[in-house]
């Protein structure tokens, strides 16, 4: 990856060019102005040793061994400070860290989410059982030391699982969510919401994607893998209509709330599999002019790509966080009559091996 940030960008540029250049022009990667302390979502695993020491950190690669971390150069600095305070308070309140082997203990994980523009901060405490001793006193102590915290949520995860969050939640302080502004639109973020971790680079990424779509106000837009609706909502001012589909029902609830927050009448979201939905739409003769797709790292499904190609929108804007799966999917689109026009890499995850890309595809006219 290189010792300098510029070397890290060069590494990512070469990786993308190797995979995507066979399809289209690859633009120069857009790096960060300040590649430190950019993560607005910070996750710490809580652990302890036989001597009674309590610490927070991250799992060692390929294992569940916790590597203690006090500060990380990628994390929001306030988030790391809050995590340190929670660990300190655990000792004074005599809370025990959860033990994965025995299934006993109180605190499992700490999640901090910070809103870049509004400054709101949410603390999610993931506990192993639905009992919080001295809850009020703990909340008072934490908020006294960090008055910048706007809400605290208790999430209960009593299962022996590698999943961080459980199903049951209780708001302990504040309103139970935070709000942020992205590309001029307001978004509500809950503990379970997917929200890009790098605010500054996300705005650059979305502006490129919306620019590629070149919307005129007459287009019916489909937003696949829509999450809490960020891309579709950000593009809505220049579209006739936006329809978003997302598998995660919690995310869909947030997306519908975000429509109301922004007073949007031309946007709708629904829960479901994007491939199945698009297949039904294509069979019914429904037409979309532009498709935004932002699939998980594993890429899109063959069902979805086939259905999109059957519907034949004039443009597909593919946002990818997995270059290998992107190359695979571009090959499928190409076989189905789409031209891969341009690829713009954006460094969303500085100092890691991950890179995001926006690709424009256009329907080849026969």
């Amino acid at each position: 990856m290189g010792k300098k940030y510029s070397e890290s960008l060069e590494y990512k540029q070469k990786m993308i060019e190797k995979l995507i250049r066979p399809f289209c022009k690859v633009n120069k990667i857009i790096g960060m102005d300040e590649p430190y302390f950019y993560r607005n979502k910070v996750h710490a695993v809580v652990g302890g040793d036989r001597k009674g020491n309590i610490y927070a950190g991250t799992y060692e690669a390929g294992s569940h061994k916790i590597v203690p971390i006090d500060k990380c150069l990628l994390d929001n600095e306030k988030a790391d400070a809050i995590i340190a305070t929670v660990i300190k308070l655990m000792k004074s309140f005599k809370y025990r860290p959860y033990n994965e082997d025995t299934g006993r203990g109180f605190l499992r994980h700490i999640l901090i989410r910070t809103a870049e523009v509004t400054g709101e901060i949410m603390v999610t405490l993931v506990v192993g059982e639905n009992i919080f001793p001295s809850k009020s006193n703990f909340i008072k102590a934490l908020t006294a030391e960090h008055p910048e915290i706007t809400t605290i949520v208790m999430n209960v995860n009593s299962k022996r699982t590698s999943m961080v969050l459980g199903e049951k939640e209780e708001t302990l302080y504040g309103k139970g969510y935070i709000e942020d502004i992205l590309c001029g639109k307001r978004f509500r973020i809950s503990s379970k919401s997917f929200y890009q971790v790098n605010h500054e680079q996300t705005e650059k990424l979305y502006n490129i994607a919306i620019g590629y779509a070149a919307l005129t106000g007459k287009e019916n837009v489909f937003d696949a893998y829509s999450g809490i609706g960020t891309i579709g909502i950000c593009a809505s001012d220049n579209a006739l209509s936006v329809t978003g589909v997302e598998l995660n029902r919690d995310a869909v609830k947030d997306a519908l709330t975000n429509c109301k927050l922004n007073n949007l009448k031309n946007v709708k979201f629904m829960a479901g599999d994007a491939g199945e939905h698009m297949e039904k739409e294509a069979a019914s003769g429904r037409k979309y002019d532009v498709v935004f797709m932002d699939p998980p790292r594993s890429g899109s499904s063959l069902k979805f790509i086939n259905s999109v190609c059957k519907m034949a929108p004039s443009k597909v804007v593919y946002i990818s966080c997995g270059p290998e799966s992107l190359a695979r999917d571009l090959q499928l689109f190409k076989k189905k009559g789409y031209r891969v026009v341009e690829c713009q890499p954006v460094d969303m995850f500085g100092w890691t091996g991950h890179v995001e890309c926006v690709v424009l595809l256009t329907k080849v006219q026969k």
Side-chain angles (χ1 to χ4, degrees):
M1 288 289 293
K3 292 182 179 179
K4 297 178 180 177
Y5 182 59
S6 58
E7 292 173 357
S8 168
L9 293 179
E10 286 172 19
Y11 168 84
K12 295 183 183 188
Q13 183 78 32
K14 288 175 182 175
M15 176 179 67
I16 296 299
E17 286 185 353
K18 184 179 178 182
L19 288 163
I20 308 301
R21 191 183 268 166
F23 299 99
C24 67
K25 171 191 173 186
V26 177
N27 296 331
K28 184 180 178 182
I29 189 169
I30 297 173
M32 298 181 210
D33 297 331
E34 178 53 63
Y36 300 102
F37 310 117
Y38 61 83
R39 286 191 63 90
N40 59 42
K41 179 183 178 183
V42 178
H43 166 221
V45 190
V46 180
D49 60 25
R50 291 176 182 175
K51 295 178 181 178
N53 296 312
I54 303 172
Y55 47 80
T58 189
Y59 290 126
E60 189 177 278
S63 79
H64 268 222
K65 180 184 175 184
I66 301 171
V67 180
I69 295 173
D70 294 325
K71 291 183 180 179
C72 174
L73 290 172
L74 307 187
D75 294 347
N76 178 285
E77 292 177 280
K78 284 184 181 178
D80 278 351
I82 292 168
I83 290 167
T85 300
V86 171
I87 296 301
K88 182 182 76 174
L89 290 174
M90 278 185 71
K91 295 171 186 174
S92 61
F93 278 80
K94 295 183 169 55
Y95 296 153
R96 295 301 304 154
Y98 180 84
N99 185 302
E100 287 189 341
D101 296 325
T102 64
R104 293 177 181 172
F106 177 59
L107 194 59
R108 299 183 71 160
H109 305 273
I110 307 164
L111 269 77
I112 315 288
R113 305 191 80 151
T114 54
E116 186 80 17
V117 177
T118 65
E120 295 180 1
I121 297 176
M122 171 168 53
V123 177
T124 302
L125 303 171
V126 183
V127 299
E129 53 190 28
N130 194 17
I131 300 169
F132 199 139
S134 304
K135 179 169 62 180
S136 297
N137 289 333
F138 181 87
I139 299 306
K140 282 179 185 175
L142 181 56
T143 52
E145 193 146 344
H146 294 282
E148 67 271 22
I149 294 171
T150 49
T151 190
I152 301 173
V153 174
M154 179 178 75
N155 179 281
V156 183
N157 185 357
S158 57
K159 295 180 181 178
R160 301 278 189 100
T161 173
S162 58
M163 296 289 286
V164 174
L165 295 170
E167 292 298 316
K168 188 175 180 181
E169 286 195 342
E170 180 186 338
T171 300
L172 306 179
Y173 175 80
K175 54 193 179 182
Y177 58 86
I178 58 174
E179 292 182 0
D180 201 12
I181 309 292
L182 185 68
C183 297
K185 301 294 185 184
R186 181 171 286 268
F187 293 95
R188 179 175 295 186
I189 306 155
S190 63
S191 65
K192 298 178 183 178
S193 299
F194 173 79
Y195 189 71
Q196 293 279 10
V197 300
N198 188 328
H199 186 277
E200 181 183 343
Q201 294 298 94
T202 300
E203 288 201 330
K204 294 175 186 176
L205 183 86
Y206 284 4
N207 284 330
I208 291 160
I210 293 165
Y212 276 176
L215 301 171
T216 64
K218 298 177 181 178
E219 294 84 3
N220 291 308
V221 173
F222 186 78
D223 180 11
Y225 315 95
S226 53
I228 64 168
T230 46
I231 299 169
I233 287 172
C234 289
S236 63
D237 285 351
N238 300 313
L240 180 64
S241 72
V242 176
T243 302
V245 174
E246 164 61 45
L247 203 54
N248 184 316
R249 291 186 178 275
D250 288 322
V252 174
K253 287 179 187 175
D254 284 336
L256 293 170
T257 299
N258 291 332
C259 283
K260 292 176 184 174
L261 282 176
N262 293 285
N263 196 28
L264 300 175
K265 307 298 184 190
N266 63 333
V267 184
K268 64 178 180 179
F269 292 99
M270 58 194 80
D273 177 83
E276 289 176 7
H277 179 85
M278 188 59 96
E279 198 171 54
K280 289 175 186 173
E281 295 276 67
S284 70
R286 174 70 195 265
K287 295 289 288 182
Y288 290 105
D289 305 294
V290 175
V291 171
F292 286 104
M293 53 188 292
D294 188 3
R297 192 162 281 129
S298 56
S300 189
S301 67
L302 183 60
K303 180 188 288 185
F304 179 78
I305 293 172
N306 284 339
S307 301
V308 170
C309 294
K310 184 178 179 182
M311 191 176 283
S314 59
K315 294 188 187 79
V316 175
V317 180
Y318 192 140
I319 298 173
S320 165
C321 57
E324 290 85 3
S325 58
L326 172 64
R328 179 200 68 207
D329 291 349
L330 292 181
Q331 187 65 44
L332 292 170
F333 272 111
K334 194 175 176 183
K335 285 180 181 176
K336 294 283 184 177
Y338 276 82
R339 183 169 76 92
V340 188
V341 180
E342 190 176 345
C343 172
Q344 177 61 66
V346 179
D347 189 29
M348 301 278 285
F349 316 104
W351 304 105
T352 75
H354 300 300
V355 62
E356 202 105 355
C357 293
V358 189
V359 175
L360 172 63
L361 301 102
T362 57
K363 178 67 179 168
V364 176
Q365 301 300 321
K366 294 180 181 178

